[in-house]
């Protein structure tokens, strides 16, 4: 069985590095595609631009940051959750924002989980482990 891709959308190089390291530490073997904002993530989903020749199929989940240039996480989430082809993809907001308004907006737009990034790397490793185990391994998705 081929492992499905995880789409990770974040613009902060340090956060990307730490999260990818946490994924590696937890031996989550799914291929990871990193998009630096919502527009790039949409291009991946639509197989456009640099992703035109990628293998077909949706990722098993999207790890999504909120604050990004060009198209932020909430704008991306609103588009994805309205689109018939993508609305069943689990989207996990992985953000440093503890703002109640962001939490409410995320859930109102259909996010599947809202996770605040811990500041401590060991805590981040544990959070990523829990996300990976549930969303990439345990969770069952309908066929596309």
């Amino acid at each position: 069985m081929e492992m499905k891709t995880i789409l990770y959308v974040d613009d902060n190089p340090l956060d990307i590095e730490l999260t990818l390291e946490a994924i590696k530490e937890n031996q989550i073997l799914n291929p990871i595609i990193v998009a630096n904002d919502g527009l790039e993530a949409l291009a991946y989903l639509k197989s456009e631009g640099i992703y035109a020749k990628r293998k077909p199929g949706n990722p098993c989940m999207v790890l999504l940051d909120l604050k990004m240039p060009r198209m932020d996480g909430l704008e991306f989430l609103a588009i994805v959750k309205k689109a018939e082809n993508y609305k069943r993809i689990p989207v996990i907001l992985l953000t440093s924002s503890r703002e109640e308004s962001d939490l409410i907006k995320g859930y109102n737009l259909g996010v599947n989980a809202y996770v605040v990034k811990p500041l401590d790397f060991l805590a981040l490793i544990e959070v990523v482990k829990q996300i990976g185990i549930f969303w990439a391994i345990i969770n069952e998705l309908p066929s596309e």
Side-chain angles (χ1 to χ4, degrees), residues 49-83:
I50 62 170
Y51 303 109
K53 295 183 181 180
R54 77 170 181 88
K55 288 184 181 178
N58 287 333
C60 65
M61 73 170 132
V62 176
L63 292 176
L64 180 63
D65 189 29
L66 281 178
K67 312 293 186 210
M68 296 178 289
R70 298 194 317 157
M71 178 185 285
D72 71 23
L74 292 174
E75 292 170 305
F76 172 81
L77 181 64
I79 291 167
V80 166
K81 290 300 182 176
K82 287 180 185 170

